[in-house]
Every structure is written in structure tokens, then in C-alpha cells.
Amino acid sequence: MSFFKCYKSVNLVANHFFFTMDTKESTLQKSSLMNILWDIQKKRRYISHDDMTKISKVFNISRMELEGVISFYHFYHRKHAGKYTIYLNNSIVSKHKDFDRVKKSFETEIGVKTGHVTKDELFGLFETSCIGLSDQETSALINFKAFTNLTPEKVKILILKLRQGESLESLSDFPENNIQYTPEENKTVFFKPYKQGDALKKIIGIEPDGVIDLVKASKLSGRGGAFFPTGLKWEFCRDNKADQKYIICNADEGEPGTFKDRVLMNILPGLLIEGMAIAGYAVGATEGTIYLRAEYFYLKDKLEKTIKEFLKKGLLGENILGIEGFNFNLNIYMGAGAYVCGEETALIASMEGKRGEPTTKEYFPVEKGYLGKPTVVNNVETLCAVPRILEMGVDKYLAIGTKATPGTKLMSVSGDCNKPGIYEIEWGMKLKDFLDLIEAKDPHFILYNGFSGECLSSHDFDREISGENLLAEHIQFQINDPIEYARKMSAVGLRSGGAFMVFDKTRDLLPILQNITDFFVAESCGICVPCRTGNFLLNRKLHKIKLCNADKNDLDEIKEWSNIIKQSSRCGLGKTSTNCLLTAMLKFPEEFNKCLLAESDINKAFNLEKAVDDYDKIIHEIETTYE
């Protein structure tokens, strides 16, 4: 029985709930666990002790195991989270907008500090990491409805109207798509006219192996950041014989600064569904799942509506398009707030009702994935590219972009520029031309590929957005001279996962890096000691540097510890968590060295005059009063 059919209903009445199960099953499958936790969380606003006792009995698991699952995900609460649960985005672009004033306004209007719930349990206020709205900051989610471009004045009006009983739906802002640029018409791949089923019909008369050959010929690779060849992944899954196979769309777009998949799913949900159905046909899978991050709950209805349309038109279901044996059904599985679930094995573990912890690579998902069956996990953009390649033909697709990376790339742009939003660019565009395109304001440094990417400087501006090497570490960390770096790296492409955050010369680099390390400390699943402890220690080192209480040994230790974390972590989170810090130290050494200057020969962070300044002011005020 498939996981989305393994229970018939969840009934919640007052403070109690009960399950009506199929009589053939004594316990529910764990793959339905998170669905039930969501039902309870949304209905009751928290998961109580009694809830946990009943759930553990029905699923035949220990309370400790259940507690481990619930505590792993940010959006499950053990205490009442408020009738209106507010999550305010604290990512760096938000902090550079109006975060502090908006946060203070929320606290003032509802009457509690962040991290607390009002006494009447009407409002709960919490911070969260990037919610995929970096082009519309400052942003927040209230009961997973989006609120964008917030100001203190907007917050005041919003809370007043909620107190007066107005609905969240009438007050929320459905996020703008903000598509700022597409190439000329004959080179646009994604954002062009779309008609349901046109691409899917292209497989008529083509054998599954033929579809895989087309995808391999297109050189399409994973657009989530890993860039593994898509056709090769499909071929591996096809070659593994099993009674059941799965296609999973990774829509857990948690990389800070990335929101391209949000826009694709909002504008072209049918294109994604066709891509998944084509993948199912190619590898022999009959079931597919869109793993949708909780921050995108507001897209769920649109995706479900589109799935129903496809079923009605015979584009999903049994014997699709009259092709005997082409059966494919689709469902949506909601995440619950865990960045690490962007890693495919962690995502699969989450779907199986477990903590979203990455597994060791004894088997790849194409061998043993979801429920131990061969599974293809692809990113939203990757799956949306497949139908377009079939529509336009491989030769035309290969004529766009570069030889190594044909086609176009979607970029999520935010930060100090006049035109934040989505850009569909042809692979091969120079970075300096892209900065002109987005109307960057005096660009100084760039966070490229989000927090797990790298830091770029003006020495990278002649590089092109393309290529095979994500960080080109074999070159960049062996060059000390900036001129030599610029000359050699200009020939190395910038392979992009999609996030592009630009910062001008008024921004201080160290607080940005602190925000990044704060993020990885919070998001590490904790299973690896180097990642769990190492990122915390790096965070403390950065804090020490900001206080001007560090010396060169601290910088050397940061490099040493960063390399240990990269080399010994289990999954991509740890392996990439120090990328921005290391590349920032390489390209902006002056930002670190200026904080190593002493104000005292005894303690570099201690200054006697500053230490007694407040005391002197208080004494002066007292003396003035008595005079």
C-alpha cells in the first residue's frame, strides 16, 4: 500500500483524536507519520504529550523515537504556538532591509518578545531562516501565508486587523514572481508559452531507453547544485530491477537566497508534473512525490489542483496517452522545516517518517531509495527542463549556452541591486555583464550559490557563469596574488545552483559571515561531530574576531578547522558549510586583518576608557541632579 493511502482519516475533536485504519493493517506505516503530525499541529497549534502517547501506540514506535522526529523539525511545536503563528525571516538580506524595525513592531503590537506566545495564545512570534522570499524582504509567514515587503506601519495595521477578526487569506500577499529577464525568444527554455500535455505527447513512439538517451544527449545535469548528469541517474535507476520504483521531486528549496523553484511551481506547475511523468516513463516508476518545503505551503493547493487536471485529461493515472503500461500517479509530501532535507538521502528519510538525517552512501537512492526501492530524486528546475528539451529538440537545446553547459540557467537575485528577482540567462554570460543586468549598486562582494556556495570579489568579475568546477579549489586556494588569481580564474566558469546575493561597499563582511555560521549551527542535523561542533567553534571564532580579540593564530585555526569539517562530514551540509568563510578569507583578507589590531598591549578587546564610559555618565547625571 502506498504511503499516501495508508490511513483513511485523522479525526480531531477538542483535545482528542483517533485514527480509523484499514482493517488489514494493525499499525500505520511510518511514511504517513509526518502527514498526521501536520494535521495535529495545524489543528491544535501544537503536539501534546497525550498526542504523542497515542501516536506512538498506533505506529508501534517508542515515545523516544517519536520525540526525536518531532524535535528534529522546526515547525512542529511541543507547546502552543499561537492561533496566529508568525515566522519572521532572519536571513542576511532581510536584516539588511527592515528586519530589526519589523521585529520590534511585531513585539510591540502583540506584546511579547520573539520566541514567545501571548498569554491568550492568540499570537506566537518566532524567527526562522530564509523562506524563499529574498526578493521581497522583509518577509514573514503567518500560519504559512506569506507577507512580503513588511514595514513597521504594515505590521501595526496587520495585527490590528487580525485582532478584529479579518481572515489571513484577505490580508496575506501572494508572492510576486518578479521575472526580470529572459533571453531572446528562440533561446528561452523555461518562461515561454506552455500547454498541458504537449511535451508529454512527444514520448509517443519513443521507448523508455530512447527518452533516457535524449536526456543524456542534452547534457542536462542536476540544477539543485550537485550537477550530477540527469540522464545517467535515470539510466542507473532503469537498470535496477524492482517491483516498484519512485520519482521524487526535491522542492525543499532551503538554500538561503534561492527562490527560483517557487516561481517555477507557481507559474508552470504543469511543466513540473510532465517532467516527473516523463521520468517515471523512462525509469519504469509508477509513483511520484513532490517533497514540498513547509515554507511553500501556499503553493500546495495550486499543485494539487493541477494534478487533478492532469488526471482528468488522462495525463496521469493508468495507461497515460493510451500507452499500455504507462502508469504514473503523483502526490505531495510536506516537509516541516529542516535545511538538511535538501540532501536526497535526508529527504528520503524524512518521507519515511524519520529524522531527516543523511545516510552513509552504502547504496545510492537509484539502488535503494524510498522504502528500499530504486528512486530518482531530481530538483524542480531539472525536471522542468526535461519537457522543454523534448519540445524544442536536443539539437536546438545544445545550440544554446556553452558546449559544457548547454541551455539556460535560472538565477534568484537579491541584495543591493535595483532589480531583484528571477533571471533566465544563457549559460556563458560574464559575471560583470550579469551585474549590469541586475543593476547592482557598487558591487563589492557576492554570495554565489547561497550560504553553501562561495564569496566572489571584483577579481571574479571576468569569469563566466558556466563550467564544470563549482569552487575550483585546486586553483584558487593556491594563488596568493590577486592579479594572478584574476588572470587564472577568468578561464574557470562559475557553476551556479541559482542563488545570487550581492552586497555593496557599505556592508560589513563579518556580520554576513556570522549570519551564515549562525545558520549552519542551527541547521546541522548533529549526527557528525565535525559538523555539529566545528561550525559552532567557527561561529565563536568569528565572534572573537568581531570583538577585535583575535590574532593570526585564530585565522590559521579557522582554515584548519574548516578543512577538517569539509573532509570528514557525512553530507553536503558539512562539506560546504565553510565555503563562504574560506573564500572570504582568501579574497578579503583586509576585512579580517583590520580586526586584529590592538587597542591595548594587554587585551585587544579591552579599552579602559570605553569600559568606564557608562559609569562616568551615570555619576555625572547623579552629581548634576544633586547640584
mmCIF file of all heavy atoms in Angstrom, residues 100-135:
data_model
loop_
_atom_site.group_PDB
_atom_site.id
_atom_site.type_symbol
_atom_site.label_atom_id
_atom_site.label_comp_id
_atom_site.label_asym_id
_atom_site.label_seq_id
_atom_site.Cartn_x
_atom_site.Cartn_y
_atom_site.Cartn_z
ATOM 1 N N ASP A 100 15.049 44.569 11.724
ATOM 2 C CA ASP A 100 15.073 44.994 13.126
ATOM 3 C C ASP A 100 13.832 45.803 13.495
ATOM 4 O O ASP A 100 13.218 45.583 14.552
ATOM 5 C CB ASP A 100 16.334 45.801 13.414
ATOM 6 C CG ASP A 100 17.581 44.926 13.427
ATOM 7 O OD1 ASP A 100 17.468 43.744 13.792
ATOM 8 O OD2 ASP A 100 18.667 45.420 13.061
ATOM 9 N N ARG A 101 13.447 46.729 12.633
ATOM 10 C CA ARG A 101 12.272 47.560 12.931
ATOM 11 C C ARG A 101 10.988 46.753 12.848
ATOM 12 O O ARG A 101 10.063 46.956 13.634
ATOM 13 C CB ARG A 101 12.211 48.754 11.980
ATOM 14 C CG ARG A 101 13.357 49.743 12.168
ATOM 15 C CD ARG A 101 13.048 51.120 11.625
ATOM 16 N NE ARG A 101 12.481 51.096 10.291
ATOM 17 C CZ ARG A 101 11.438 51.845 9.900
ATOM 18 N NH1 ARG A 101 10.836 52.663 10.760
ATOM 19 N NH2 ARG A 101 10.995 51.786 8.658
ATOM 20 N N VAL A 102 10.918 45.834 11.880
ATOM 21 C CA VAL A 102 9.731 44.987 11.744
ATOM 22 C C VAL A 102 9.600 44.060 12.947
ATOM 23 O O VAL A 102 8.509 43.878 13.499
ATOM 24 C CB VAL A 102 9.794 44.174 10.425
ATOM 25 C CG1 VAL A 102 8.745 43.068 10.419
ATOM 26 C CG2 VAL A 102 9.586 45.098 9.231
ATOM 27 N N LYS A 103 10.710 43.480 13.366
ATOM 28 C CA LYS A 103 10.703 42.610 14.542
ATOM 29 C C LYS A 103 10.230 43.370 15.777
ATOM 30 O O LYS A 103 9.371 42.892 16.532
ATOM 31 C CB LYS A 103 12.101 42.050 14.770
ATOM 32 C CG LYS A 103 12.249 41.207 16.027
ATOM 33 C CD LYS A 103 13.688 40.733 16.191
ATOM 34 C CE LYS A 103 13.889 40.031 17.517
ATOM 35 N NZ LYS A 103 15.285 39.554 17.682
ATOM 36 N N LYS A 104 10.759 44.559 15.978
ATOM 37 C CA LYS A 104 10.367 45.364 17.133
ATOM 38 C C LYS A 104 8.887 45.734 17.061
ATOM 39 O O LYS A 104 8.179 45.734 18.084
ATOM 40 C CB LYS A 104 11.216 46.641 17.194
ATOM 41 C CG LYS A 104 10.958 47.486 18.436
ATOM 42 C CD LYS A 104 11.897 48.675 18.499
ATOM 43 C CE LYS A 104 11.634 49.507 19.757
ATOM 44 N NZ LYS A 104 12.547 50.680 19.845
ATOM 45 N N SER A 105 8.394 46.001 15.853
ATOM 46 C CA SER A 105 6.983 46.348 15.687
ATOM 47 C C SER A 105 6.086 45.161 16.034
ATOM 48 O O SER A 105 5.058 45.323 16.705
ATOM 49 C CB SER A 105 6.718 46.806 14.249
ATOM 50 O OG SER A 105 5.382 47.212 14.087
ATOM 51 N N PHE A 106 6.462 43.952 15.577
ATOM 52 C CA PHE A 106 5.692 42.764 15.936
ATOM 53 C C PHE A 106 5.659 42.595 17.454
ATOM 54 O O PHE A 106 4.602 42.334 18.051
ATOM 55 C CB PHE A 106 6.306 41.515 15.292
ATOM 56 C CG PHE A 106 5.738 41.160 13.949
ATOM 57 C CD1 PHE A 106 6.556 41.077 12.821
ATOM 58 C CD2 PHE A 106 4.385 40.892 13.798
ATOM 59 C CE1 PHE A 106 6.036 40.737 11.581
ATOM 60 C CE2 PHE A 106 3.853 40.557 12.558
ATOM 61 C CZ PHE A 106 4.687 40.483 11.451
ATOM 62 N N GLU A 107 6.824 42.732 18.096
ATOM 63 C CA GLU A 107 6.904 42.551 19.548
ATOM 64 C C GLU A 107 6.048 43.582 20.277
ATOM 65 O O GLU A 107 5.367 43.260 21.258
ATOM 66 C CB GLU A 107 8.364 42.658 19.994
ATOM 67 C CG GLU A 107 9.216 41.482 19.537
ATOM 68 C CD GLU A 107 10.676 41.633 19.916
ATOM 69 O OE1 GLU A 107 11.116 42.791 20.163
ATOM 70 O OE2 GLU A 107 11.387 40.602 19.968
ATOM 71 N N THR A 108 6.065 44.808 19.775
ATOM 72 C CA THR A 108 5.277 45.876 20.416
ATOM 73 C C THR A 108 3.779 45.640 20.248
ATOM 74 O O THR A 108 3.000 45.763 21.205
ATOM 75 C CB THR A 108 5.652 47.250 19.817
ATOM 76 O OG1 THR A 108 7.044 47.498 20.048
ATOM 77 C CG2 THR A 108 4.834 48.367 20.456
ATOM 78 N N GLU A 109 3.376 45.282 19.052
ATOM 79 C CA GLU A 109 1.945 45.157 18.750
ATOM 80 C C GLU A 109 1.306 43.940 19.407
ATOM 81 O O GLU A 109 0.142 43.988 19.813
ATOM 82 C CB GLU A 109 1.728 45.108 17.223
ATOM 83 C CG GLU A 109 2.143 46.368 16.484
ATOM 84 C CD GLU A 109 1.480 47.617 17.034
ATOM 85 O OE1 GLU A 109 0.267 47.567 17.358
ATOM 86 O OE2 GLU A 109 2.162 48.653 17.163
ATOM 87 N N ILE A 110 2.045 42.831 19.516
ATOM 88 C CA ILE A 110 1.428 41.643 20.129
ATOM 89 C C ILE A 110 1.778 41.522 21.612
ATOM 90 O O ILE A 110 1.153 40.749 22.332
ATOM 91 C CB ILE A 110 1.804 40.345 19.379
ATOM 92 C CG1 ILE A 110 3.289 40.016 19.546
ATOM 93 C CG2 ILE A 110 1.439 40.449 17.913
ATOM 94 C CD1 ILE A 110 3.684 38.698 18.886
ATOM 95 N N GLY A 111 2.806 42.266 22.046
ATOM 96 C CA GLY A 111 3.090 42.342 23.474
ATOM 97 C C GLY A 111 3.978 41.262 24.045
ATOM 98 O O GLY A 111 3.995 41.052 25.261
ATOM 99 N N VAL A 112 4.749 40.538 23.190
ATOM 100 C CA VAL A 112 5.702 39.550 23.684
ATOM 101 C C VAL A 112 6.985 39.635 22.866
ATOM 102 O O VAL A 112 6.985 40.130 21.738
ATOM 103 C CB VAL A 112 5.152 38.102 23.606
ATOM 104 C CG1 VAL A 112 3.963 37.913 24.516
ATOM 105 C CG2 VAL A 112 4.833 37.711 22.173
ATOM 106 N N LYS A 113 8.067 39.142 23.460
ATOM 107 C CA LYS A 113 9.334 39.076 22.752
ATOM 108 C C LYS A 113 9.342 37.885 21.798
ATOM 109 O O LYS A 113 8.559 36.938 21.936
ATOM 110 C CB LYS A 113 10.492 38.945 23.751
ATOM 111 C CG LYS A 113 10.714 40.182 24.613
ATOM 112 C CD LYS A 113 11.224 41.352 23.776
ATOM 113 C CE LYS A 113 11.570 42.555 24.636
ATOM 114 N NZ LYS A 113 12.057 43.700 23.825
ATOM 115 N N THR A 114 10.256 37.952 20.825
ATOM 116 C CA THR A 114 10.415 36.857 19.870
ATOM 117 C C THR A 114 10.738 35.557 20.598
ATOM 118 O O THR A 114 11.526 35.539 21.548
ATOM 119 C CB THR A 114 11.545 37.189 18.879
ATOM 120 O OG1 THR A 114 11.263 38.440 18.254
ATOM 121 C CG2 THR A 114 11.665 36.111 17.821
ATOM 122 N N GLY A 115 10.099 34.472 20.155
ATOM 123 C CA GLY A 115 10.282 33.174 20.796
ATOM 124 C C GLY A 115 9.221 32.855 21.819
ATOM 125 O O GLY A 115 9.294 31.817 22.484
ATOM 126 N N HIS A 116 8.219 33.744 21.956
ATOM 127 C CA HIS A 116 7.181 33.552 22.960
ATOM 128 C C HIS A 116 5.788 33.635 22.340
ATOM 129 O O HIS A 116 5.609 34.055 21.198
ATOM 130 C CB HIS A 116 7.323 34.601 24.064
ATOM 131 C CG HIS A 116 8.574 34.449 24.872
ATOM 132 N ND1 HIS A 116 9.778 34.949 24.454
ATOM 133 C CD2 HIS A 116 8.816 33.828 26.059
ATOM 134 C CE1 HIS A 116 10.715 34.662 25.352
ATOM 135 N NE2 HIS A 116 10.146 33.981 26.338
ATOM 136 N N VAL A 117 4.800 33.240 23.145
ATOM 137 C CA VAL A 117 3.391 33.247 22.745
ATOM 138 C C VAL A 117 2.631 34.125 23.735
ATOM 139 O O VAL A 117 2.938 34.134 24.931
ATOM 140 C CB VAL A 117 2.818 31.805 22.748
ATOM 141 C CG1 VAL A 117 1.336 31.801 22.381
ATOM 142 C CG2 VAL A 117 3.615 30.917 21.797
ATOM 143 N N THR A 118 1.672 34.878 23.231
ATOM 144 C CA THR A 118 0.887 35.746 24.111
ATOM 145 C C THR A 118 0.084 34.904 25.109
ATOM 146 O O THR A 118 -0.228 33.738 24.859
ATOM 147 C CB THR A 118 -0.072 36.625 23.302
ATOM 148 O OG1 THR A 118 -0.914 35.785 22.483
ATOM 149 C CG2 THR A 118 0.694 37.578 22.393
ATOM 150 N N LYS A 119 -0.259 35.510 26.254
ATOM 151 C CA LYS A 119 -0.968 34.779 27.310
ATOM 152 C C LYS A 119 -2.302 34.222 26.835
ATOM 153 O O LYS A 119 -2.742 33.162 27.281
ATOM 154 C CB LYS A 119 -1.176 35.686 28.517
ATOM 155 C CG LYS A 119 0.102 35.972 29.301
ATOM 156 C CD LYS A 119 -0.182 36.815 30.534
ATOM 157 C CE LYS A 119 1.093 37.067 31.330
ATOM 158 N NZ LYS A 119 0.838 37.898 32.545
ATOM 159 N N ASP A 120 -2.973 34.948 25.939
ATOM 160 C CA ASP A 120 -4.255 34.460 25.427
ATOM 161 C C ASP A 120 -4.080 33.471 24.273
ATOM 162 O O ASP A 120 -5.065 33.024 23.681
ATOM 163 C CB ASP A 120 -5.135 35.635 24.984
ATOM 164 C CG ASP A 120 -4.499 36.465 23.867
ATOM 165 O OD1 ASP A 120 -3.392 36.104 23.403
ATOM 166 O OD2 ASP A 120 -5.105 37.478 23.471
ATOM 167 N N GLU A 121 -2.796 33.136 23.949
ATOM 168 C CA GLU A 121 -2.460 32.177 22.892
ATOM 169 C C GLU A 121 -2.984 32.604 21.529
ATOM 170 O O GLU A 121 -3.197 31.775 20.645
ATOM 171 C CB GLU A 121 -2.968 30.770 23.245
ATOM 172 C CG GLU A 121 -2.344 30.209 24.510
ATOM 173 C CD GLU A 121 -2.807 28.804 24.842
ATOM 174 O OE1 GLU A 121 -3.875 28.393 24.338
ATOM 175 O OE2 GLU A 121 -2.103 28.110 25.605
ATOM 176 N N LEU A 122 -3.129 33.929 21.354
ATOM 177 C CA LEU A 122 -3.575 34.429 20.056
ATOM 178 C C LEU A 122 -2.408 34.539 19.079
ATOM 179 O O LEU A 122 -2.542 34.182 17.905
ATOM 180 C CB LEU A 122 -4.245 35.799 20.221
ATOM 181 C CG LEU A 122 -4.890 36.392 18.950
ATOM 182 C CD1 LEU A 122 -6.006 35.483 18.440
ATOM 183 C CD2 LEU A 122 -5.438 37.796 19.238
ATOM 184 N N PHE A 123 -1.263 35.007 19.562
ATOM 185 C CA PHE A 123 -0.104 35.187 18.684
ATOM 186 C C PHE A 123 1.126 34.470 19.240
ATOM 187 O O PHE A 123 1.374 34.483 20.449
ATOM 188 C CB PHE A 123 0.244 36.675 18.533
ATOM 189 C CG PHE A 123 -0.805 37.495 17.836
ATOM 190 C CD1 PHE A 123 -1.666 38.303 18.564
ATOM 191 C CD2 PHE A 123 -0.932 37.463 16.453
ATOM 192 C CE1 PHE A 123 -2.634 39.064 17.938
ATOM 193 C CE2 PHE A 123 -1.894 38.220 15.815
ATOM 194 C CZ PHE A 123 -2.757 39.019 16.552
ATOM 195 N N GLY A 124 1.894 33.860 18.338
ATOM 196 C CA GLY A 124 3.216 33.333 18.657
ATOM 197 C C GLY A 124 4.202 33.938 17.672
ATOM 198 O O GLY A 124 3.920 34.006 16.473
ATOM 199 N N LEU A 125 5.330 34.411 18.171
ATOM 200 C CA LEU A 125 6.310 35.095 17.316
ATOM 201 C C LEU A 125 7.644 34.350 17.367
ATOM 202 O O LEU A 125 8.212 34.162 18.441
ATOM 203 C CB LEU A 125 6.497 36.540 17.781
ATOM 204 C CG LEU A 125 7.524 37.380 17.011
ATOM 205 C CD1 LEU A 125 7.145 37.503 15.537
ATOM 206 C CD2 LEU A 125 7.661 38.768 17.647
ATOM 207 N N PHE A 126 8.137 33.940 16.184
ATOM 208 C CA PHE A 126 9.375 33.179 16.102
ATOM 209 C C PHE A 126 10.210 33.672 14.919
ATOM 210 O O PHE A 126 9.674 34.184 13.939
ATOM 211 C CB PHE A 126 9.082 31.686 15.919
ATOM 212 C CG PHE A 126 8.157 31.111 16.950
ATOM 213 C CD1 PHE A 126 6.782 31.083 16.741
ATOM 214 C CD2 PHE A 126 8.657 30.622 18.146
ATOM 215 C CE1 PHE A 126 5.918 30.569 17.687
ATOM 216 C CE2 PHE A 126 7.801 30.093 19.107
ATOM 217 C CZ PHE A 126 6.432 30.075 18.882
ATOM 218 N N GLU A 127 11.506 33.503 15.035
ATOM 219 C CA GLU A 127 12.400 33.758 13.903
ATOM 220 C C GLU A 127 12.632 32.459 13.153
ATOM 221 O O GLU A 127 12.568 31.371 13.727
ATOM 222 C CB GLU A 127 13.735 34.323 14.379
ATOM 223 C CG GLU A 127 13.664 35.748 14.896
ATOM 224 C CD GLU A 127 15.041 36.328 15.193
ATOM 225 O OE1 GLU A 127 16.029 35.866 14.562
ATOM 226 O OE2 GLU A 127 15.134 37.232 16.044
ATOM 227 N N THR A 128 12.897 32.579 11.864
ATOM 228 C CA THR A 128 13.238 31.407 11.069
ATOM 229 C C THR A 128 14.215 31.826 9.996
ATOM 230 O O THR A 128 14.393 33.018 9.721
ATOM 231 C CB THR A 128 11.976 30.777 10.441
ATOM 232 O OG1 THR A 128 12.310 29.510 9.867
ATOM 233 C CG2 THR A 128 11.373 31.660 9.354
ATOM 234 N N SER A 129 14.873 30.859 9.389
ATOM 235 C CA SER A 129 15.830 31.174 8.329
ATOM 236 C C SER A 129 15.082 31.415 7.018
ATOM 237 O O SER A 129 13.857 31.399 6.972
ATOM 238 C CB SER A 129 16.847 30.040 8.189
ATOM 239 O OG SER A 129 16.195 28.807 7.996
ATOM 240 N N CYS A 130 15.826 31.626 5.952
ATOM 241 C CA CYS A 130 15.278 32.075 4.661
ATOM 242 C C CYS A 130 14.031 31.299 4.245
ATOM 243 O O CYS A 130 14.006 30.065 4.270
ATOM 244 C CB CYS A 130 16.344 31.936 3.587
ATOM 245 S SG CYS A 130 15.851 32.610 1.983
ATOM 246 N N ILE A 131 12.987 32.014 3.861
ATOM 247 C CA ILE A 131 11.710 31.398 3.500
ATOM 248 C C ILE A 131 11.420 31.509 1.997
ATOM 249 O O ILE A 131 10.283 31.373 1.562
ATOM 250 C CB ILE A 131 10.547 32.008 4.314
ATOM 251 C CG1 ILE A 131 10.469 33.528 4.136
ATOM 252 C CG2 ILE A 131 10.689 31.643 5.789
ATOM 253 C CD1 ILE A 131 9.298 34.175 4.854
ATOM 254 N N GLY A 132 12.476 31.759 1.218
ATOM 255 C CA GLY A 132 12.320 31.790 -0.234
ATOM 256 C C GLY A 132 11.678 33.054 -0.764
ATOM 257 O O GLY A 132 11.070 33.041 -1.822
ATOM 258 N N LEU A 133 11.848 34.168 -0.041
ATOM 259 C CA LEU A 133 11.262 35.445 -0.453
ATOM 260 C C LEU A 133 12.312 36.557 -0.391
ATOM 261 O O LEU A 133 11.996 37.706 -0.072
ATOM 262 C CB LEU A 133 10.067 35.795 0.444
ATOM 263 C CG LEU A 133 8.872 34.844 0.358
ATOM 264 C CD1 LEU A 133 7.875 35.109 1.487
ATOM 265 C CD2 LEU A 133 8.170 34.970 -0.993
ATOM 266 N N SER A 134 13.550 36.231 -0.728
ATOM 267 C CA SER A 134 14.647 37.180 -0.591
ATOM 268 C C SER A 134 14.498 38.403 -1.484
ATOM 269 O O SER A 134 15.109 39.441 -1.217
ATOM 270 C CB SER A 134 15.986 36.493 -0.896
ATOM 271 O OG SER A 134 16.250 35.474 0.039
ATOM 272 N N ASP A 135 13.711 38.294 -2.534
ATOM 273 C CA ASP A 135 13.496 39.451 -3.422
ATOM 274 C C ASP A 135 12.374 40.351 -2.925
ATOM 275 O O ASP A 135 12.092 41.387 -3.545
ATOM 276 C CB ASP A 135 13.178 38.971 -4.840
ATOM 277 C CG ASP A 135 11.958 38.059 -4.902
ATOM 278 O OD1 ASP A 135 11.674 37.371 -3.891
ATOM 279 O OD2 ASP A 135 11.278 38.023 -5.946
#
